[in-house]
């Protein structure tokens, strides 16, 4: 971890220096431009009585270098934005190494109490697993990454393929940071999905009409010819006036259709420009693993590269946006039938790339998700890539820790489930570590199925469907009690097992929403039913009676415990998993400590 800290600190130092130099250059160019304006004003004052030829030569001599300085200023300003973005990213990543992820999007809108494990494992929201990992820069990339977590893969080949991609991107920090900084130039949102719909729209208004194709070339030729003839006094103003009127009628006769085309691509230019640059990052890089090589191939074919095609479309949409400039738009339409010409270009582009555009965007989004996982792997060099088992069920690991618990405080524990059916029964006192252990197992299992590295020294898992019940909540809106909500979750588990689904089940305090007698009977009955379905998982409970099931099912159950140690009227916890049934409970002790008579 010291090397990771040092990397970001060195990067901050380097980019801070670069940013200072850029600011100095921008200030110098601004000063030069101001002096040039002052100089031209003074010069024009002195030559105010000279001929127009001298004045025009002086203005031309000023305007050309002044325009060059404007272009240089714009270029340096973009470099400044880029540098500031990477600099801020490095600072945010340093904070993330200290478990402050507030700068990143945790997707709180995706929190769903009905999800099989999302709420229990703190998957989304503030200080969530997703927030600690998510570095996506496109809305589609965020959707892909969140989809991988909400619906983790149960296919070994898919998981291994992702692991290879994450490994390679973890070693290419410069590429990941360039991708992030480039994508951050455009702040996307959920409305970006409409871009794909617009680009795959069926409406063709001009491109397949031969008349408009001819007119789009005929009028510019007519104007060039007419202006040339007029300069030689071969035609007069009346002819030009007639051509002007005809051009006006033809150009603006299709305003409604042009508006329809323009509305479908309006304000698309900025996002297309950024997407084209992001695709170029993927096209240029010589990837080694199969998954990333396939992404590169998706963006390139013998006819064209995705980045080139996207930039071409960006140019067409930018040209059509000239209609916002009333004077320039009017002149271009009269002389060139500008709007119709650009509408034809856009429709031709759609027709040519209709079959490719969805694949291009999906490829970009998938790489965006991979890049986030690569950053997570880079930030956790001590994490390992788990082995993926072939037979249901296996979860064997050593030194499992929770990624959101501080590395210096996190107590790590092992897990061993080698066959089916098999359940670990975890008993223990309040605050001894049972729930944390369940979440640690669940989070690492989820990371393993996503293709990410896990917080462990060793881990082997079989990719089954994960279902948890750790934090069931009642619902006033749906008129559901706490107990009924818990029963619904348990019924979902039983139904899936009855369908033959392979599950990994994690439960915390079964039937805690009812009385102790029913809870005990129900818990014992549920455990026996889960064993009959040959399921696997972990159950945490305060009810020590569940520990007696090991005597009845010695080949299907194993008891473990987290103890609370009370010595000299002091309560302490080791948070270490031990074999057997818990011996010490601390509820009465804590109540006495708070002045409650027991």
């Amino acid at each position: 971890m010291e090397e990771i800290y040092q990397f970001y600190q060195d990067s901050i130092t380097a980019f801070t220096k670069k940013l200072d130099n850029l600011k100095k250059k921008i200030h110098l160019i601004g000063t030069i431009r101001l002096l040039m304006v002052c100089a031209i004003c003074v010069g024009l004052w002195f030559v105010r009585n000279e001929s127009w030829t001298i004045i025009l030569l002086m203005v031309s001599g000023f305007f050309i270098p002044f325009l060059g300085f404007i272009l240089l200023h714009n270029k340096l300003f973009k470099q400044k934005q880029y540098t500031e973005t990477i600099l801020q990213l490095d600072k945010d990543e340093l904070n993330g190494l200290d478990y402050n992820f507030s700068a990143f999007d945790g997707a709180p809108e995706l929190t769903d109490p009905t999800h099989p494990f999302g709420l229990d494992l703190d998957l989304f929201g503030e200080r969530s697993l997703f927030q600690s990992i998510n570095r996506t820069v496109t809305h589609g990339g965020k959707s892909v990454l969140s989809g991988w977590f909400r619906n983790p893969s149960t296919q070994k080949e898919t998981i291994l393929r992702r692991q290879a991609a994450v490994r390679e991107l973890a070693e290419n920090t410069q590429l990941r940071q360039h991708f992030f900084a480039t994508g951050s130039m455009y702040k996307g949102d959920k409305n970006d999905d409409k871009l794909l719909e617009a680009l795959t729209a069926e409406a063709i208004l001009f491109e397949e009409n031969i008349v408009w194709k001819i007119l789009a070339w005929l009028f510019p030729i007519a104007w060039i010819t007419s202006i040339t003839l007029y300069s030689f006094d071969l035609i007069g103003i009346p002819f030009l006036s007639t051509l002007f009127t005809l051009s006006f009628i033809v150009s603006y006769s299709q305003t409604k259709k042009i508006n329809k085309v323009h509305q479908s691509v309006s304000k698309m230019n900025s996002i297309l420009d950024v997407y084209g640059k992001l695709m170029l990052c993927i096209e240029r890089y010589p990837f080694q693993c199969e998954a990333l090589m396939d992404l590169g191939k998706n963006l390139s074919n013998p006819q064209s590269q995705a980045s080139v095609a996207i930039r071409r479309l960006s140019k067409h949409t930018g040209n059509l946006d000239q209609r916002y400039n009333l004077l320039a738009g009017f002149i271009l339409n009269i002389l060139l039938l500008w709007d119709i010409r650009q509408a034809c270009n856009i429709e031709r582009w759609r027709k040519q790339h209709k079959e490719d555009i969805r694949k291009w965007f999906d490829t970009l989004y998938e790489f965006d998700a991979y890049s986030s996982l690569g950053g997570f792997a880079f930030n956790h060099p001590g994490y390992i890539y788990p082995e993926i088992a072939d037979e249901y069920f296996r979860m064997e690991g050593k030194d499992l820790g929770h990624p959101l618990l501080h590395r210096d405080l996190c107590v790590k524990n092992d897990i061993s489930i080698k066959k089916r059916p098999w359940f670990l029964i975890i008993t223990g006192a309040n605050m001894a570590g049972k729930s944390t252990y369940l979440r640690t197992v669940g989070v690492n299992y989820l990371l393993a199925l996503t293709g990410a590295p896990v917080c462990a020294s060793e881990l082997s898992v079989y990719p089954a469907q994960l279902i948890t019940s750790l934090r069931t909540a009642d619902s006033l809106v749906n008129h559901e009690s706490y107990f009924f909500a818990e029963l619904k979750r348990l019924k979902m588990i039983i139904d899936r097992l009855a369908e033959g689904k392979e599950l990994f089940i994690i439960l915390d305090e079964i039937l805690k929403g009812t009385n102790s007698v029913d809870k005990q009977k129900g818990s014992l009955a549920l455990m026996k039913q889960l064993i009959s379905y040959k399921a696997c998982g972990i159950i945490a409970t305060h009810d020590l009676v569940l520990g007696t099931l090991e005597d009845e099912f010695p080949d299907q159950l194993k008891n473990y415990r987290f103890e609370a140690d009370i010595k000299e009227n002091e309560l302490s916890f080791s948070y270490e998993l031990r074999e057997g049934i818990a011996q010490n409970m601390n509820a009465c002790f804590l109540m006495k400590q708070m002045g409650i008579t027991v």
Side-chain angles (χ1 to χ4, degrees):
M1 288 305 300
E2 291 180 2
E3 293 181 3
I4 305 303
Y5 274 99
Q6 192 62 49
F7 170 84
Y8 287 119
Q9 290 165 353
D10 291 345
S11 182
I12 289 172
T13 301
F15 279 100
T16 299
K17 183 177 180 180
K18 182 177 180 180
L19 181 61
D20 290 340
N21 290 334
L22 287 170
K23 287 180 178 179
K24 291 177 181 177
K25 289 180 180 180
I26 291 173
H27 182 266
L28 176 61
I29 290 174
T31 303
I32 293 174
R33 286 165 56 193
L34 178 61
L35 293 175
M36 288 181 67
V37 171
C38 294
I40 190 65
C41 291
V42 173
L44 289 175
W45 170 261
F46 282 110
V47 300
R48 64 187 183 277
N49 296 322
E50 301 292 335
S51 66
W52 279 104
T53 302
I54 295 176
I55 294 175
L56 287 175
L57 287 173
M58 181 176 287
V59 170
S60 298
F62 158 80
F63 182 76
I64 294 175
F66 188 79
L67 180 61
F69 278 114
I70 290 178
L71 295 176
L72 180 58
H73 176 274
N74 291 339
K75 180 180 179 180
L76 291 174
F77 188 78
K78 288 183 179 180
Q79 291 179 6
K80 174 176 170 288
Q81 285 183 306
Y82 178 91
T83 303
E84 288 174 336
T85 302
I86 292 188
L87 185 59
Q88 187 59 51
L89 174 63
D90 288 333
K91 293 178 180 179
D92 293 338
E93 291 290 9
L94 269 183
N95 290 332
L97 294 181
D98 292 327
Y99 302 91
N100 177 4
F101 310 112
S102 57
F104 305 111
D105 182 7
E109 72 279 3
L110 297 178
T111 302
D112 180 9
T114 65
H115 189 269
F117 55 81
L119 184 64
D120 291 338
L121 300 185
D122 301 306
L123 187 52
F124 299 107
E126 292 300 313
R127 299 190 59 81
S128 66
L129 179 67
F130 187 77
Q131 188 181 39
S132 71
I133 295 174
N134 179 31
R135 304 294 185 271
T136 55
V137 290
T138 65
H139 185 263
K142 176 183 172 182
S143 296
V144 171
L145 184 62
S146 62
W148 288 352
F149 280 99
R150 284 183 293 177
N151 301 289
S153 177
T154 56
Q155 302 298 317
K156 178 178 180 178
E157 295 76 12
T158 299
I159 297 171
L160 294 179
R161 180 181 173 90
R162 288 182 187 169
Q163 284 184 357
V166 174
R167 285 178 191 268
E168 183 168 348
L169 285 174
E171 299 172 356
N172 290 286
T173 306
Q174 185 175 1
L175 171 63
R176 287 187 287 100
Q177 291 202 330
H178 175 65
F179 187 88
F180 182 91
T182 302
S184 297
M185 296 297 179
Y186 170 80
K187 299 298 182 183
D189 55 34
K190 61 183 179 180
N191 293 322
D192 292 350
D193 294 339
K194 297 179 180 179
L195 171 62
L196 188 59
E197 297 175 10
L199 296 180
T200 55
E202 293 289 343
I204 300 294
L205 304 175
F206 297 100
E207 169 58 19
E208 294 183 355
N209 191 322
I210 189 64
V211 174
W212 292 113
K213 289 183 179 181
I214 294 173
L215 290 177
W217 287 104
L218 181 61
F219 274 89
I221 293 173
W223 274 107
I224 293 173
T225 303
S226 299
I227 292 173
T228 302
L229 294 174
Y230 177 76
S231 63
F232 289 100
D233 294 328
L234 298 177
I235 60 173
I237 294 297
F239 185 86
L240 293 178
S241 300
T242 302
L243 181 59
F244 176 87
T245 303
L246 185 60
S247 297
F248 181 86
I249 293 173
V250 172
S251 179
Y252 288 95
S253 65
Q254 302 299 310
T255 299
K256 288 185 178 180
K257 291 183 178 181
I258 296 293
N259 288 340
K260 186 175 181 179
V261 175
H262 188 246
Q263 287 171 5
S264 68
V265 298
S266 179
K267 301 178 182 179
M268 193 185 289
N269 195 40
S270 58
I271 184 174
L272 287 174
D273 180 60
V274 171
Y275 275 23
K277 292 176 181 177
L278 292 177
M279 290 178 185
L280 186 60
C281 294
I282 305 171
E283 292 169 353
R284 283 181 172 178
Y285 204 86
F287 295 112
Q288 301 300 314
C289 76
E290 183 180 0
L292 297 179
M293 288 173 64
D294 287 346
L295 294 183
K297 292 175 183 177
N298 287 344
L299 298 180
S300 301
N301 58 58
Q303 286 74 36
S304 66
Q305 287 185 308
S307 61
V308 174
I310 292 295
R311 285 200 301 270
R312 189 183 307 120
L313 176 62
S314 177
K315 180 180 178 181
H316 295 329
T317 58
N319 289 340
L320 189 56
D321 283 341
Q322 290 297 327
R323 63 205 321 257
Y324 286 130
N325 187 324
L326 296 181
L327 179 60
F330 180 78
I331 295 174
L332 289 171
N333 273 321
I334 294 299
L335 298 178
L336 305 174
L337 298 190
W338 186 258
D339 287 354
I340 293 175
R341 180 184 294 274
Q342 301 312 319
C344 286
N345 289 336
I346 292 172
E347 290 180 351
R348 189 182 306 116
W349 190 96
R350 281 175 173 165
K351 183 178 180 181
Q352 181 180 355
H353 299 292
K354 179 182 177 182
E355 302 300 325
D356 298 321
I357 188 65
R358 186 173 296 276
K359 179 178 68 175
W360 291 345
F361 277 47
D362 288 345
T363 297
L364 175 61
Y365 299 154
E366 187 174 350
F367 183 87
D368 198 8
Y370 275 135
S371 183
S372 285
L373 293 178
F376 175 75
F378 175 80
N379 288 339
H380 298 87
Y383 287 16
I384 57 102
Y385 292 88
E387 175 190 347
I388 308 302
D390 293 311
E391 296 182 1
Y392 178 78
F393 179 80
R394 174 172 294 188
M395 185 164 185
E396 290 187 276
K398 293 183 178 180
D399 304 317
L400 270 69
H402 199 295
L404 300 184
L405 290 179
H406 197 287
R407 65 186 69 86
D408 296 333
L409 304 176
C410 179
V411 178
K412 298 181 178 181
N413 288 290
D414 301 342
I415 185 172
S416 180
I417 303 178
K418 300 180 181 180
K419 63 178 183 177
R420 64 179 297 190
W422 192 266
F423 274 89
L424 307 184
I425 306 296
I426 313 291
T427 53
N430 296 295
M431 304 184 297
K434 299 189 305 298
S435 297
T436 300
Y437 178 72
L438 297 186
R439 289 187 173 86
T440 297
V441 172
V443 164
N444 281 289
Y445 188 79
L446 176 59
L447 287 172
L449 269 58
T450 306
V454 299
C455 183
S457 61
E458 294 180 20
L459 186 63
S460 175
V461 302
Y462 175 85
Q465 291 184 16
L466 176 63
I467 294 185
T468 67
S469 182
L470 312 180
R471 192 183 282 156
T472 310
D474 56 4
S475 173
L476 295 176
V477 175
N478 296 326
H479 305 289
E480 289 183 359
S481 68
Y482 181 95
F483 181 63
F484 184 69
E486 189 177 16
L487 286 180
K488 284 178 62 178
R489 179 59 62 97
L490 296 178
K491 183 180 185 304
M492 177 181 69
I493 293 173
I494 296 300
D495 288 346
R496 293 193 181 185
L497 288 173
E499 294 170 1
K501 299 290 181 61
E502 296 177 334
L503 306 181
F504 179 45
I505 303 165
I506 303 178
L507 304 178
D508 190 7
E509 205 61 49
I510 307 171
L511 303 176
K512 50 186 171 289
T514 188
N515 66 80
S516 58
V517 175
D518 281 343
K519 171 187 173 184
Q520 192 173 97
K521 290 181 179 179
S523 298
L524 289 170
L526 176 64
M527 284 304 306
K528 292 178 180 180
Q529 190 171 9
L530 293 177
I531 292 173
S532 71
Y533 278 117
K534 299 186 181 300
C536 295
I538 311 175
I539 310 289
T541 180
H542 289 98
D543 194 342
L544 302 184
V545 174
L546 284 183
T548 63
L549 284 172
E550 184 179 345
D551 297 331
E552 185 177 352
F553 301 98
D555 294 327
Q556 291 86 27
L557 296 174
K558 181 72 174 177
N559 285 320
Y560 289 91
R561 59 194 168 102
F562 284 97
E563 290 289 6
D565 300 316
I566 303 175
K567 294 181 180 180
E568 299 179 357
N569 210 34
E570 292 290 334
L571 180 67
S572 63
F573 303 100
S574 68
Y575 303 113
E576 293 178 354
L577 187 67
R578 311 173 191 175
E579 291 189 8
I581 302 174
Q583 303 298 310
N584 300 322
M585 292 298 172
N586 61 3
C588 292
F589 174 84
L590 290 173
M591 293 172 70
K592 288 179 180 179
Q593 292 291 95
M594 297 178 68
I596 301 173
T597 301
V598 179

